[in-house]
Amino acid sequence: MKTNIVILSLCGLLMCSCAAEFNRVYKSTDYNYRYEYAKQCFAEGRYTQAETLLREAISLKKGTDEAQESLYMLAMAEFMNRDYESASETFKKYFTSYPKGFYAEQAMFYVGEALYQSAPEPRLDQTPTIGAINAYQQFLDIFPTSAMRPMAQQKLFDLQDRLVQKELLSAQLYYNLGGYFGNINSNSESNYTSSIIVAQNALKNYPYTKFREDFALIIMKSKFELAENSGEERKLERYRDAEDECYGFLNEYPESKSRSVAERFIEKCKKVTKD
């Protein structure tokens, strides 16, 4: 217990000492000294202190060899502090100001990386995800031979999967809402139709997605439920369409875990289409 108290006391004294040293440096009129201390803070992982000193250094170092270094360090300090929105903007500023600068390639990559880190889960608005995709794509276009290309490509694929998952959740939601309103109901028909459209558009936009079977299953189930919930005037037409969809599903996914679902739907469809 005493040992812990001693350790905590020493940590407290060290923190106070560091804070006092930072305040002394911050008040100093020796700007070169302040800049070197900012670099020391950055190297030691004291990113908040580094940010504070670097923001002022950017304007003071303008036109010097250290100008781009201070801007890039500020962006990295923001990134390490998980202020991803600020970091992405600062990295953009660096690349705009120094497109052929020493850190241009890294800055362009980290624009995408910062946006990637702030991208939300699939259920939420995916505007940041789209921004990250565009940033990584721009990086790949500008630096096609970069050593960071594989990382950018992998992150790009991950982000595209988030967009696909968003569409999958939307299609599933429409499908679930379809049966909520009961049987013959214009709202249920509309939701099943919307589920089909969302899933078909996703397959068109992302033909090689790993969720392809999931979308195909939703389309098949929605078409069958649409037939089940149709009025007499459209029932036969929709059962035939559902039956064709089921056969198409089985042809494309013969080993699917949902094979029995497709077979059960076909049996029900045949009872109507054969009459």
Side-chain angles (χ1 to χ4, degrees):
M1 184 67 178
K2 290 182 178 180
T3 302
N4 290 338
I5 293 173
V6 171
I7 291 173
L8 288 172
S9 298
L10 289 173
C11 288
L13 289 171
L14 183 61
M15 289 176 66
C16 290
S17 175
C18 289
E21 181 184 15
F22 175 78
N23 287 332
R24 184 171 64 254
V25 173
Y26 186 71
K27 293 176 182 178
S28 173
T29 57
D30 186 342
Y31 296 111
N32 287 328
Y33 172 57
R34 289 170 67 174
Y35 183 61
E36 290 303 318
Y37 188 80
K39 292 168 67 175
Q40 179 184 332
C41 289
F42 182 86
E44 293 175 354
R46 291 185 282 150
Y47 300 114
T48 300
Q49 291 182 343
E51 273 190 58
T52 302
L53 295 170
L54 287 168
R55 290 186 194 284
E56 188 177 24
I58 288 170
S59 58
L60 293 172
K61 295 293 182 179
K62 191 173 182 178
T64 70
D65 293 339
E66 294 170 328
Q68 59 172 299
E69 179 186 54
S70 61
L71 185 57
Y72 181 74
M73 273 200 299
L74 173 61
M76 284 302 303
E78 291 170 337
F79 182 86
M80 297 305 294
N81 270 334
R82 299 184 180 181
D83 184 1
Y84 298 123
E85 184 176 351
S86 297
S88 66
E89 291 301 318
T90 308
F91 281 123
K92 284 180 190 176
K93 183 178 179 181
Y94 177 92
F95 187 78
T96 302
S97 303
Y98 309 102
K100 297 185 182 299
F102 185 77
Y103 304 101
E105 184 178 328
Q106 294 94 319
M108 193 69 250
F109 174 81
Y110 273 100
V111 172
E113 191 70 6
L115 291 171
Y116 176 87
Q117 294 297 333
S118 62
E121 61 171 298
R123 294 180 185 276
L124 303 177
D125 177 55
Q126 293 299 302
T127 300
T129 301
I130 294 171
I133 288 173
N134 292 336
Y136 278 127
Q137 191 58 62
Q138 187 178 7
F139 169 77
L140 292 171
D141 291 342
I142 297 174
F143 301 101
T145 60
S146 172
M148 292 182 286
R149 181 181 180 84
M151 288 187 289
Q153 287 178 320
Q154 185 55 57
K155 294 293 177 67
L156 197 57
F157 295 149
D158 291 344
L159 291 164
Q160 287 175 341
D161 279 346
R162 292 190 197 188
L163 294 183
V164 177
Q165 282 181 278
K166 176 76 171 177
E167 296 304 299
L168 184 59
L169 289 170
S170 296
Q172 187 64 55
L173 177 62
Y174 279 123
Y175 175 79
N176 293 340
L177 287 174
Y180 179 78
F181 295 100
N183 291 325
I184 301 174
N185 185 293
S186 60
N187 286 326
S188 63
E189 285 199 19
S190 175
N191 283 311
Y192 287 131
T193 300
S194 296
S195 178
I196 294 166
I197 292 171
V198 170
Q200 287 176 335
N201 286 339
L203 288 176
K204 186 185 300 181
N205 295 329
Y206 308 99
Y208 305 109
T209 174
K210 62 183 180 181
F211 301 106
R212 185 175 179 84
E213 183 179 340
D214 298 288
F215 283 114
L217 179 61
I218 288 177
I219 293 170
M220 179 183 70
K221 290 165 66 177
S222 294
K223 286 191 175 185
F224 177 78
E225 294 297 339
L226 190 59
E228 289 273 279
N229 287 279
S230 290
E232 290 300 324
E233 70 281 359
R234 302 200 65 182
K235 191 176 286 288
L236 180 60
E237 169 197 348
R238 286 177 170 172
Y239 269 114
R240 283 173 176 166
D241 186 30
E243 186 177 350
D244 289 341
E245 193 68 39
C246 291
Y247 279 119
F249 181 85
L250 290 175
N251 286 335
E252 187 167 0
Y253 307 103
E255 305 300 324
S256 173
K257 293 179 180 179
S258 300
R259 181 181 181 88
S260 61
V261 176
E263 290 172 341
R264 186 173 72 251
F265 286 170
I266 289 172
E267 287 181 15
K268 289 186 177 182
C269 289
K270 284 186 179 297
K271 291 179 181 179
V272 178
T273 58
K274 281 190 173 182
D275 291 341

